[in-house]
Amino acid sequence: MTVAPSSKGTVRFGDHETWYRVTGDLSSPRPALVVVHGGPGSTHDYLQNLSGLTAGGRAVVHYDQLGNGGSTHLPDRGPDFWTVDLFAAELDNLLDGLGIAGDYVLFGQSWGGMLATRHAASRPAGLRGLVIANSPASYPLWLQEAKILRDQLPPGVNDTLLRHEAAGTTDSDEYHSAMRVFYERHVCRLTPWPRDYLASFFEVYNDPTVYYAMNGPSEFHVNGTLRDWSVTEFCPDVAVPTLLISGRHDEATPATVQPYQDLIPGARWEIFEESSHLPHLEEPERFTEVMETFLDGLDAPH
């Protein structure tokens, strides 16, 4: 359930601005839940229903990462500008700017889960817990698994995708139609696609600067700067309670999530049987139950 924000604004980030929305009261004694969206190059919109996790006075913070949504757009910046370090620094800056760096929980979805893991590995004093949702531990592993999923698509679909990828015509209508077959199986299995998901989907393609630079033309054809990136080296340094979330039909297959389970001490893994990449939309009731149980467990005195 999406709850109306109690405030919206921007935090200065160097010469730029990071847009945020807060639901609930940031002065609450419960740690704020900070939601880190995927992409890179998506927006907060598809995760808006996490604003319903304000039970008992907890604040929920959404933000748009630089280059997208309500934050500063920089369409003329090249791939060398869009780095993991940039977005890690932006997250640190947001926490400081909102005055919550001393007491917070991170929820990172897809790429956001990788970014949140990188953040958690530095062992910030105020981090109370970590949720890694539908996130691969490495892009090479993601691509390896994507090939398996692509080979299982209906006859001819992957041939179409491969032909356009080889020709560099991934902006064609035919490619997008074939791409949607994959997305309907492994990204969002709901019909029709929910409004919040469509909002983020269209935001990516309204300004694909970040997505194309770091990821590539689609979820499964990663030829951007992140194609060799992994967070497995950071996992052993995560020292807070950690919840892993994935869907049975997720493009983030069990093989891509397994390193988190193996390497993060004490990590707990919940698989949503009726979901793909967006359990918070595909199984919202169970998602809320799992999240509230985890978050309530973090509220012991510290």
Side-chain angles (χ1 to χ4, degrees):
M1 178 183 69
T2 300
V3 178
S6 48
S7 64
K8 297 179 181 180
T10 58
V11 170
R12 197 76 190 165
F13 177 46
D15 294 331
H16 316 302
E17 291 186 331
T18 300
W19 178 93
Y20 68 86
R21 56 170 269 166
V22 177
T23 309
D25 184 0
L26 286 179
S27 65
S28 167
R30 306 187 78 179
L33 177 67
V34 180
V35 180
V36 187
H37 67 69
S42 187
T43 62
H44 80 284
D45 299 270
Y46 75 101
L47 292 162
Q48 279 195 126
N49 72 343
L50 271 71
S51 61
L53 294 170
T54 52
R58 178 186 301 107
V60 178
V61 176
H62 289 80
Y63 75 105
D64 286 335
Q65 294 163 25
L66 190 66
N68 293 90
S71 296
T72 305
H73 287 237
L74 298 161
D76 297 329
R77 297 298 178 98
D80 58 335
F81 178 80
W82 305 106
T83 64
V84 174
D85 287 347
L86 174 75
F87 291 106
E90 182 186 33
L91 176 56
D92 290 342
N93 185 73
L94 176 74
L95 296 170
D96 288 338
L98 294 179
I100 56 174
D103 197 25
Y104 64 100
V105 178
L106 282 186
F107 176 97
Q109 201 275 339
S110 199
W111 136 262
M114 300 180 80
L115 184 61
T117 301
R118 150 79 184 263
H119 174 90
S122 67
R123 301 195 176 185
L127 181 64
R128 305 299 174 214
L130 174 66
V131 183
I132 302 169
N134 319 100
S135 175
S138 89
Y139 277 96
L141 197 53
W142 172 271
L143 288 170
Q144 175 183 308
E145 290 293 295
K147 182 183 186 304
I148 295 172
L149 297 179
R150 288 174 60 148
D151 287 343
Q152 296 170 352
L153 294 173
V157 175
N158 197 33
D159 292 337
T160 298
L161 294 169
L162 290 169
R163 185 173 70 252
H164 284 287
E165 287 163 4
T169 51
T170 53
D171 58 350
S172 68
D173 290 343
E174 187 180 39
Y175 184 83
H176 286 160
S177 294
M179 183 178 80
R180 180 141 184 159
V181 177
F182 180 99
Y183 280 42
E184 288 174 348
R185 286 185 172 210
H186 302 298
V187 181
C188 185
R189 292 164 60 85
L190 297 175
T191 303
W193 280 349
R195 182 182 62 183
D196 287 351
Y197 173 59
L198 282 171
S200 285
F201 187 84
F202 288 124
E203 283 274 9
V204 171
Y205 289 100
N206 284 339
D207 184 354
T209 305
V210 181
Y211 190 74
Y212 284 2
M214 298 184 76
N215 187 83
S218 68
E219 292 290 279
F220 47 79
H221 185 50
V222 180
N223 57 7
T225 57
L226 291 181
R227 62 187 175 274
D228 298 319
W229 191 54
S230 168
V231 294
T232 54
E233 66 185 280
F234 297 107
C235 290
D237 293 323
V238 175
V240 293
T242 299
L243 171 66
L244 308 174
I245 287 174
S246 66
R248 179 62 65 192
H249 309 280
D250 206 328
E251 59 179 344
T253 65
T256 71
V257 179
Q258 190 66 47
Y260 292 119
Q261 174 78 80
D262 294 341
L263 298 171
I264 296 177
R268 182 166 68 83
W269 190 357
E270 292 279 350
I271 297 178
F272 287 70
E273 295 295 335
E274 305 301 322
S275 295
S276 55
H277 200 51
L278 306 172
H280 63 285
L281 295 175
E282 294 168 289
E283 295 181 68
E285 293 83 7
R286 180 166 177 243
F287 175 84
T288 298
E289 179 183 341
V290 167
M291 283 293 296
E292 287 185 341
T293 298
F294 176 73
L295 293 170
D296 288 347
L298 302 176
D299 284 340
H302 52 261

